[in-house]
Amino acid sequence: MQGKFQKGVQYNMKIIIRGDIRTGKSTLFNRLQGGPFKEEYVTTPQIEVANIQWKYNQANDIIKVEIWDVVDKGINPTPINRRPNLSDGTGLKIDNKQGPVTPTSPTRLTTELSPDQIALDAATINVYRNTHGVILMFDITKSWTFDYAIKELKVIPENMSILLLGNFGDLSSQRSITRSQIYQSIADCNRLRVTEYPPANMIRYVETSMLTGFGLEYIYKYLGIPFLQLQKDILRQQLELKTKELVTLLDTLDDSEHISASARKQHSITNDIRDPKLEVEQEQDRLELEKSALKDLWDKESRAISQQESGESGEKYH
Ligand SMILES: Nc1nc2c(ncn2[C@@H]2O[C@H](COP(=O)(O)OP(=O)(O)OP(=O)(O)O)[C@@H](O)[C@H]2O)c(=O)[nH]1
Ligand SMILES: [Mg+2]
């Protein structure tokens, strides 16, 4: 029994990494799996998924984190049955020295595809489905990647936790977006997200460098936010379920054992649970009491009237 408790509960959490092209998504994806920084740039042809084990504080719970490296517009020139294993690093290679790839570049590559060669991408599936946290990346040296992030921030479901990463922090001397611009935009977006979910859904911002590893620890810690939110949701559902189970069981016991109404009442009071059957009975009791009180009043009134009448008639006839 003790061993079972020590093993803890298993949780499945889904985290997606999004961002404009060449912002460091796959580098983070690899880093989170314990891989080293790779200078070579290989654009990701379609969504990739990996599972990592993650620990919340020193708890014994087993937390399986499913990480998605999201591609907006996929590139899949290979038919489905002959696709390479994408996690082994094979894919379309673009040399670093070719210069920056603009956000519109992938369309140039996809025009050669036939309809049966559709890749897994954010255009074909809803990546936010069952997602617990979003890591949204931009490159602090490329303003258009920040514009992309701000646009995306406005469409991410408001219950989701978001971590915005200003990547390429090692190139901060070349930055094209100031910190105050970033904080201002986040404040504007957060204002729109103040609904029923705060504080877990508020946008958090941190600057990182996948090259130096700066900020990776923060990302690791950040996973605690979607995790605690997930745990809270599960506990809330369990609580609702157990309350329903309890009411059903009490009902079954009351019905099957021919328990009197007063005993049922007693049961409900001692269990401090709202029993719908008892509530109806209580309402009927209350109506009965009201009715008899009214009846008493009418009886008194009619007695007084008849006394008055007999008095008056006595006066008349005596
Ligand atoms: N100097 C520096 N280079 C980085 C950093 N992060 C990623 N890179 C490099 O930037 C290039 C692009 O990184 P990727 O991780 O492939 O970017 P991506 O967002 O997955 O790109 P796509 O899949 O094409 O959308 C690679 O050459 C990386 O080595 C960083 O923080 N600093
Ligand atoms: Mg990539």
Side-chain angles (χ1 to χ4, degrees):
M1 189 78 171
Q2 211 188 0
K4 203 174 174 187
F5 276 122
Q6 271 172 0
K7 222 175 160 196
V9 184
Q10 183 172 321
Y11 294 94
N12 293 313
M13 184 161 83
K14 177 182 162 189
I15 301 291
I16 67 168
I17 306 174
R18 290 207 79 166
D20 204 348
I21 257 184
R22 211 170 180 169
T23 48
K25 300 181 293 296
S26 301
T27 310
L28 171 63
F29 181 72
N30 293 330
R31 283 276 204 168
L32 289 173
Q33 294 172 76
F37 176 82
K38 286 184 198 152
E39 217 173 294
E40 181 192 35
Y41 173 43
V42 180
T43 196
T44 314
Q46 65 173 345
I47 292 174
E48 286 190 16
V49 180
N51 283 301
I52 59 163
Q53 295 263 347
W54 176 81
K55 245 183 176 309
Y56 176 67
N57 287 342
Q58 292 310 309
N60 287 318
D61 302 327
I62 302 155
I63 306 146
K64 247 176 65 185
V65 186
E66 190 180 280
I67 307 171
W68 287 39
D69 181 1
V70 176
V71 170
D72 284 350
K73 195 89 193 87
I75 311 154
N76 185 22
T78 316
I80 285 167
N81 56 356
R82 280 193 280 125
R83 272 184 205 172
N85 175 8
L86 294 169
S87 55
D88 68 1
T90 29
L92 185 72
K93 291 183 183 174
I94 297 176
D95 195 292
N96 258 349
K97 293 179 190 78
Q98 283 183 325
V101 178
T102 64
T104 49
S105 297
T107 34
R108 170 174 54 86
L109 297 154
T110 50
T111 46
E112 294 154 21
L113 301 180
S114 66
D116 66 323
Q117 293 173 329
I118 297 165
L120 277 180
D121 60 23
T124 52
I125 51 172
N126 176 11
V127 292
Y128 291 119
R129 201 169 166 264
N130 298 326
T131 291
H132 302 102
V134 183
I135 300 180
L136 186 58
M137 299 180 80
F138 70 93
D139 177 346
I140 58 165
T141 70
K142 292 171 186 151
S143 62
W144 65 88
T145 66
F146 181 64
D147 297 341
Y148 172 107
I150 294 302
K151 214 169 139 206
E152 197 55 37
L153 277 177
K154 290 176 181 153
V155 296
I156 296 174
E158 62 189 23
N159 61 327
M160 254 162 235
S161 153
I162 305 172
L163 177 62
L164 182 65
L165 296 189
N167 195 30
F168 288 79
D170 51 291
L171 303 177
S172 64
S173 57
Q174 299 166 38
R175 70 183 304 146
S176 59
I177 317 124
T178 64
R179 275 178 201 264
S180 59
Q181 274 175 308
I182 296 165
Y183 286 124
Q184 185 57 56
S185 303
I186 292 173
D188 293 344
C189 291
N190 267 340
R191 218 167 286 133
L192 298 172
R193 293 176 71 81
V194 183
T195 49
E196 62 201 274
Y197 306 102
N201 72 334
M202 292 289 110
I203 303 155
R204 250 146 286 268
Y205 175 68
V206 71
E207 295 201 345
T208 57
S209 166
M210 292 303 124
L211 170 70
T212 64
F214 183 76
L216 283 172
E217 210 181 306
Y218 185 96
I219 299 169
Y220 197 81
K221 270 198 191 139
Y222 153 79
L223 294 179
I225 292 172
F227 170 65
L228 287 174
Q229 192 58 37
L230 166 70
Q231 227 179 7
K232 262 179 70 183
D233 289 346
I234 291 172
L235 288 173
R236 197 181 299 122
Q237 282 165 13
Q238 280 177 345
L239 193 69
E240 275 170 25
L241 200 75
K242 293 294 155 197
T243 308
K244 274 185 197 152
E245 264 180 47
L246 199 57
V247 170
T248 313
L249 180 59
L250 281 168
D251 261 6
T252 318
L253 288 174
D254 283 348
D255 289 347
S256 66
E257 297 201 12
H258 314 291
I259 287 175
S260 67
S262 58
R264 209 161 40 228
K265 223 177 265 183
Q266 194 58 40
H267 286 169
S268 183
I269 290 162
T270 48
N271 286 306
D272 200 25
I273 279 176
R274 285 181 58 185
D275 177 352
K277 254 161 104 184
L278 186 66
E279 276 181 5
V280 171
E281 276 172 23
Q282 281 171 343
E283 180 64 6
Q284 276 169 351
D285 287 353
R286 195 184 59 78
L287 286 173
E288 281 304 318
L289 273 173
E290 251 175 39
K291 254 164 50 186
S292 76
L294 265 178
K295 207 167 155 281
D296 280 355
L297 200 75
W298 273 114
D299 283 351
K300 259 191 210 162
E301 198 107 315
S302 59
R303 264 201 308 273
I305 291 168
S306 57
Q307 270 172 9
Q308 206 179 355
E309 266 176 0
S310 62
E312 275 173 11
S313 56
E315 266 176 35
K316 242 187 220 172
Y317 296 112
H318 292 287

